[in-house]
Structure formats: structure tokens, C-alpha cells
Amino acid sequence: MLLSDLSFYENGELLGLERSLAVVSDTPQTSSQWLLEWLCDKESLFVSFCRDKPKVAGEFLDLGEDLIRMSGPNFIKPDLKVVLAKIMAFNKRTVVLQYPTLLLMANLTDHAGLLNFIKSLLVKSRVVVAVQLSRPSIESQLPVSQEFTQFVTSLMHQASLILTIRPVPTGRADDITGILHVSAGSRSLGVPEREYMYTIGKHIELQPR
């Protein structure tokens, strides 16, 4: 099947009702950009915190250069209220946040501040949050890793839809790029759990596992 044939909810919806939260997780060995780009329609805003420029039908806001910039040896802490106002001014039905956890890893905010930031966006929009999971970021006892873990755990608990991208378990496969796992978050009952093998080529193709 092609990516255009995919739906996540039993009623055919992709991202659920208004003000719903979806979480997309990938790993250092995989990329969720293809999925994030596909989820963006003309009524969407794609917000990047890592300076990756996507190919999207909607609008794009690059916050990587604005937020993660150096002032001598230290990062300048952003005013998240200003960032929030900038995003909400677009007045889009769906907001996609690509790797906002970079703010945590750079000690620019804490997990509570980032969760409140996302909660404020949910007042007017559906929100898709992309996070990258790695063993060091989760298992480390460093304070920044603990903040990361608390954020991701809380985010998953609040989500209606969870999309997980991971490598194939046997390592490299010429005909398979990775695995997409679809599951319901704690706030949704309309998402059947399922899994697809996907291949990125001229077109993105999926095969149910």
C-alpha cells in the first residue's frame, strides 16, 4: 500500500479531532521527517527546532536558528511566550513540532515548561510532536536526561495517537527501510494497534506486518 492509503483512526481520520495530541518517535538510526511531511496539509504549520527544512504543503517556521544560538559559551534562553505567540499567529489547524526536546537537551527550559508550551498550543490546534529516543538520552542519570525522560513519559500519557518509527530488528534490509508502529495513546479508544514495514524510494510503500 502507498502512504496515501494510510489512516490511523477507525473512522478514517489521520490525526483525530481538534485539540488532539499525536507523538511521533524515531531513533538515531531512523528518521520521521517523511511521516511528518506527509501529515502536513495546507492547514498545517511545520515548526523545526533543528534547522531541517521540510517539503510540506503548509507553512514552515524555522526556530532552530532563533532559539539555539550561542552567546559566548552559553545558550541564550528563549522566551517561550514569544515563541508561542509567533506560532499561534499562523492560526493553523495542525501544528507539527520537530524535536522540541532540543530545548531540554540544551537546558533552555525544563520538562514542565515544555509541556505547558504544548498544552497552550492545544487550545487552538491539533499538535504533532516529534521526539528522538536513544538509550543514552533515556538511561543516563544526568539531570538533562531525567528532564527528557519526564517530558517524554508525560507526553505519551497525554497523547491520543502514538507513532513509533524504528529500524528493522535484523539490521539492514535492502527492501525495507524501517518499521512504523501505530498505537493509541491513553486518551484515545479509536486507534487500532498495528504495524507496517515501510520502504522509502520513489514512493513510500507500506506493508502490514
Side-chain angles (χ1 to χ4, degrees):
M1 62 185 293
L2 296 177
L3 191 57
S4 56
D5 300 320
L6 189 62
S7 63
F8 300 127
Y9 285 79
E10 290 176 335
N11 62 3
E13 283 271 355
L14 269 181
L15 293 174
L17 302 175
E18 300 295 330
R19 303 179 183 87
S20 62
L21 173 65
V23 178
V24 178
S25 69
D26 59 18
T27 71
Q29 294 78 37
T30 59
S31 172
S32 61
Q33 180 131 338
W34 61 273
L35 183 58
L36 299 177
E37 290 176 348
W38 177 67
L39 291 173
C40 285
D41 58 19
K42 292 182 179 179
E43 292 301 316
S44 300
L45 172 66
F46 190 111
V47 182
S48 176
F49 291 82
C50 59
R51 303 178 69 180
D52 285 346
K53 190 170 184 179
K55 298 177 181 178
V56 293
E59 296 196 65
F60 170 62
L61 178 61
D62 179 8
L63 292 179
E65 188 169 350
D66 291 342
L67 298 185
I68 306 177
R69 61 191 188 275
M70 298 296 289
S71 174
N74 300 314
F75 286 110
I76 299 174
K77 287 199 173 184
D79 186 339
L80 290 185
K81 291 183 180 179
V82 174
V83 176
L84 180 64
K86 183 181 290 190
I87 293 174
M88 295 185 75
F90 283 86
N91 196 29
K92 291 297 184 179
R93 184 179 182 221
T94 304
V95 175
V96 176
L97 303 176
Q98 185 183 36
Y99 304 146
T101 46
L102 289 174
L103 299 177
L104 292 177
M105 305 310 286
N107 290 311
L108 297 175
T109 187
D110 59 16
H111 76 279
L114 193 51
L115 287 169
N116 286 333
F117 174 78
I118 292 170
K119 184 178 179 180
S120 297
L121 289 175
L122 285 166
V123 172
K124 295 181 65 176
S125 305
R126 297 182 305 195
V127 179
V128 180
V129 181
V131 298
Q132 187 169 96
L133 304 181
S134 64
R135 292 186 66 179
S137 64
I138 296 173
E139 297 178 359
S140 171
Q141 296 303 308
L142 293 173
V144 66
S145 295
Q146 293 177 9
E147 286 287 323
F148 179 90
T149 301
Q150 286 181 284
F151 171 75
V152 172
T153 301
S154 297
L155 194 69
M156 296 287 190
H157 181 72
Q158 297 174 27
S160 299
L161 173 67
I162 299 173
L163 305 172
T164 304
I165 297 173
R166 65 178 191 271
V168 291
T170 55
R172 295 187 61 183
D174 292 337
D175 57 339
I176 301 173
T177 305
I179 306 295
L180 170 64
H181 184 85
V182 181
S183 60
S186 60
R187 299 198 176 186
S188 175
L189 299 176
V191 179
E193 185 170 359
R194 55 204 185 279
E195 200 164 72
Y196 302 91
M197 296 179 292
Y198 69 89
T199 303
I200 298 178
K202 185 176 181 180
H203 301 286
I204 297 174
E205 298 183 1
L206 301 104
Q207 179 181 345
R209 287 190 84 191

